[in-house]
Amino acid sequence: MNKVLAVIALSAITMACENQPQTADLVRFMAVQTQYDQSDINSTENIFKTYSTFIIRNDTIGYVSSSPNSDTILVDGINIDVPNGYVTPVVNLIKLKLSEAGFDQVSDSDNPDFAVNVAVLQNFSFFQTINYPGYYSGYYGYYNYYYPIVTTYYANYATLVIEIVDVKNFAANNNKYKVIWKASIGDLISTVDLRGKTLEAIEQAFQQSPYIKKN
Amino acid sequence: MRLKAIVILFLSAQSLLAQIAEGAFHVTWTTLKPTYTDFVSKTSSRGVRIGYTKFINEKFGVGIEGGYSVLDDYVPLQTYEIPGGAFTTDVYNYMYYYSLTANGHYYIKTSELFMPYAGLIMGAGFTDYTIFYNVYSDSDTNASFLVRPEIGMMYRFSRYSGFGLKAAIGFDYATNKSNQFELSNFSGVSLQIGIVLISH
C-alpha cells in the first residue's frame, strides 16, 4: 500500500512541477522597449521637429560584450553570418524609417542634427540596459558605451540597441552628446529567425514612437 | 447508585467519542480556480497537497498540510505605455503558490464508510509572482496569511481499512498582494481528490 501511495504522490508532484513556459513559445516575439528624453519630448515640445538630418554607419553595427578581447563591430560575412545578411538589412530599415519620418541622411562633414548608433550588447539583461548614463563624449556611442549599472549578469543574452543622439545641441548640452531616444530589442540569441524577428521588432520600435517625425 | 449511573453515562459518552483511528496521511491532486483573476485566470490542475490529520476523538481531527500549485496565464502581444516610453511584448504570468497550514476537521458522521467533514485551514501562504517575456523575467515573492474553509469527505474501503480516498472543496483566501505588479489578495476555489492512508 505504501508503494501505491508513493507512486500517486510522486505523480501528483510531477504534475505540479511543470512550471515554466516553453522557450519556443517565449521567443515568438522579441521584446521591444523604447524610451525618450522627457525634457525634449513632451506635451509642449518635440525636439524631432527641429531636426532635419542624421548620420548612421552604413555597414557596421557596434558590438559590446563582457567577454574579453571581443570584436567591437559586427560586419556581415566577417563576424556575423546570417542568410541574406544582418547588419545591412538592419541599418537599411532604420534609414528607411527615418526617411519616412522626414529626415535626410547626410555625411559626417555635413553637420548632422542627430546621429544614430546601432549596437549589440551582449551578456546582460535587456531590461537592465536602461540605467547607463544618457550622455556621451562622442556621438558614435558604441565607442563610448558604459556598462549598465546592474546587479545580475546573464549569460547568452543579447540586445540590439538603437540610439538617437543629439548633435545639434552639443554646445547647449555642456559639450556632451545627449541620448534623445533609445530602443532596446531582444533577445537576439534565442530567436529562431534573427533577421526576420529583428526587422519586425525595429518596425515595432518606430511604430510605438510616433513622435519621431519632422512634421 | 446515583454516582454509579453518572460514571456509566460518562464512560458511554467517552466510548461514543472514541477516536476513529490514530491518524490519516493524505496526498491529493489539487485543482485551483482563481476567483481573483487580475494576474492568472485559468483553472490549473497542477497542484498537490500533502498532510497528516490526527484524530482527537470520533468527531474532531487536527493536523498539518503543505501544498503547492502553479497557475498561469498568457497575455498576447501588446504595447504598454510607460513613463517616457513604451514596451511591447507578450507575457506569460505565472503564480507559484505554496502553503503550510494547520487544519481542524469536524467529522459530521463517522460510523459509515463515508466520513463527511467540515474543516478550517489556516496558515502561511508563500507566493511567487513571475512574469516571463521573451527570455526575461521579473518576480515578486511574498509571505502571507492563508485561510481556507473546506468541506470534504473521506471514504474508507472498509470499517477498519487502512486505505481510503479523499475529496474536498475549499475556498482559498491569501493576503498575498503584490505592490510590484499592483495585485490584490488572491482568492480561489480549490478541489482536491486523492488518497488517504489511515493508521489504526
Side-chain angles (χ1 to χ4, degrees):
Chain A
M1 194 62 78
N2 285 343
K3 283 181 183 171
V4 174
L5 186 68
V7 168
I8 293 173
L10 200 62
S11 303
I13 291 166
T14 304
M15 275 189 285
C17 287
E18 192 187 313
N19 58 8
Q20 282 203 359
Q22 300 292 312
T23 303
D25 294 330
L26 281 171
V27 301
R28 217 165 9 192
F29 304 102
M30 284 190 181
V32 180
Q33 179 174 300
T34 51
Q35 296 167 280
Y36 56 83
D37 187 303
Q38 295 177 71
S39 64
D40 290 310
I41 299 163
N42 50 53
S43 57
T44 57
E45 65 176 305
N46 180 356
I47 198 168
F48 283 101
K49 304 282 186 197
T50 69
Y51 293 154
S52 296
T53 58
F54 69 96
I55 55 167
I56 186 171
R57 288 179 186 265
N58 284 315
D59 49 11
T60 63
I61 286 179
Y63 180 66
V64 182
S65 170
S66 59
S67 304
N69 305 318
S70 57
D71 293 336
T72 55
I73 57 171
L74 296 175
V75 182
D76 278 332
I78 303 296
N79 56 2
I80 181 166
D81 194 13
V82 175
N84 300 316
Y86 183 74
V87 173
T88 302
V90 163
V91 172
N92 284 347
L93 180 57
I94 295 168
K95 289 196 294 192
L96 175 66
K97 300 312 290 184
L98 290 172
S99 173
E100 287 174 353
F103 304 108
D104 297 320
Q105 185 184 1
V106 295
S107 67
D108 204 0
S109 58
D110 292 328
N111 292 325
D113 294 329
F114 64 90
V116 182
N117 293 321
V118 187
V120 170
L121 310 186
Q122 188 157 7
N123 286 351
F124 52 86
S125 171
F126 164 87
F127 237 162
Q128 296 171 319
T129 63
I130 62 175
N131 294 324
Y132 62 83
Y135 288 92
Y136 294 138
S137 55
Y139 59 73
Y140 273 135
Y142 52 76
Y143 293 126
N144 302 281
Y145 266 107
Y146 296 91
Y147 272 106
I149 303 156
V150 296
T151 53
T152 310
Y153 278 76
Y154 296 88
N156 297 322
Y157 287 3
T159 307
L160 178 75
V161 176
I162 307 165
E163 288 181 332
I164 289 180
V165 180
D166 182 65
V167 179
K168 186 176 185 177
N169 302 297
F170 172 72
N173 288 325
N174 297 320
N175 294 334
K176 288 181 178 173
Y177 295 101
K178 188 178 185 182
V179 178
I180 300 297
W181 178 84
K182 178 167 65 180
S184 304
I185 293 167
D187 170 57
L188 305 184
I189 290 175
S190 57
T191 183
V192 292
D193 177 13
L194 177 61
R195 181 175 177 274
K197 292 296 177 185
T198 302
L199 297 179
E200 194 177 272
I202 292 170
E203 290 273 6
Q204 176 59 42
F206 281 93
Q207 186 181 323
Q208 70 191 41
S209 308
Y211 42 83
I212 301 180
K213 59 184 176 188
K214 180 166 172 49
N215 297 305
Chain B
M1 188 57 145
R2 193 174 179 185
L3 179 65
K4 195 175 175 183
I6 291 170
V7 170
I8 290 169
L9 197 64
F10 177 76
L11 291 174
S12 301
Q14 285 302 297
S15 69
L16 278 174
L17 290 173
Q19 65 186 47
I20 311 156
E22 187 71 26
F25 175 79
H26 68 265
V27 179
T28 57
W29 173 43
T30 305
T31 296
L32 188 54
K33 177 179 174 51
T35 51
Y36 174 70
T37 57
D38 278 16
F39 191 70
V40 286
S41 61
K42 288 192 320 193
T43 300
S44 169
S45 295
R46 285 173 294 163
V48 62
R49 286 180 188 158
I50 300 171
Y52 179 78
T53 301
K54 178 166 177 57
F55 299 112
I56 300 171
N57 56 38
E58 186 91 0
K59 289 291 183 186
F60 291 99
V62 293
I64 57 169
E65 185 182 77
Y68 173 55
S69 287
V70 184
L71 297 100
D72 69 283
D73 222 338
Y74 176 65
V75 183
L77 187 72
Q78 58 183 277
T79 300
Y80 303 87
E81 296 294 329
I82 55 176
F87 186 55
T88 300
T89 188
D90 57 340
V91 176
Y92 289 85
N93 292 334
Y94 271 65
M95 177 180 166
Y96 304 98
Y97 182 54
Y98 307 84
S99 60
L100 186 61
T101 54
N103 58 54
H105 289 170
Y106 171 72
Y107 295 93
I108 298 158
K109 197 174 181 183
T110 54
S111 57
E112 306 294 333
L113 300 182
F114 281 102
M115 296 167 56
Y117 71 87
L120 185 63
I121 289 86
M122 289 190 293
F126 304 93
T127 312
D128 176 352
Y129 295 105
T130 299
I131 61 169
F132 294 94
Y133 50 100
N134 200 272
V135 295
Y136 316 102
S137 63
D138 281 322
S139 294
D140 186 26
T141 59
N142 63 46
S144 62
F145 173 70
L146 160 69
V147 61
R148 183 193 316 131
E150 180 178 289
I151 54 170
M153 64 177 184
M154 287 196 289
Y155 172 75
R156 291 174 289 181
F157 292 116
S158 68
R159 184 75 174 89
Y160 296 103
S161 171
F163 192 67
L165 301 175
K166 175 181 175 172
I169 186 164
F171 182 76
D172 280 55
Y173 182 81
T175 59
N176 53 359
K177 66 172 84 170
S178 164
N179 292 330
Q180 183 176 337
F181 296 125
E182 298 178 347
L183 300 173
S184 295
N185 296 332
F186 175 77
S187 60
V189 176
S190 62
L191 173 69
Q192 299 178 68
I193 298 170
I195 56 169
V196 182
L197 191 64
I198 301 164
S199 57
H200 289 279

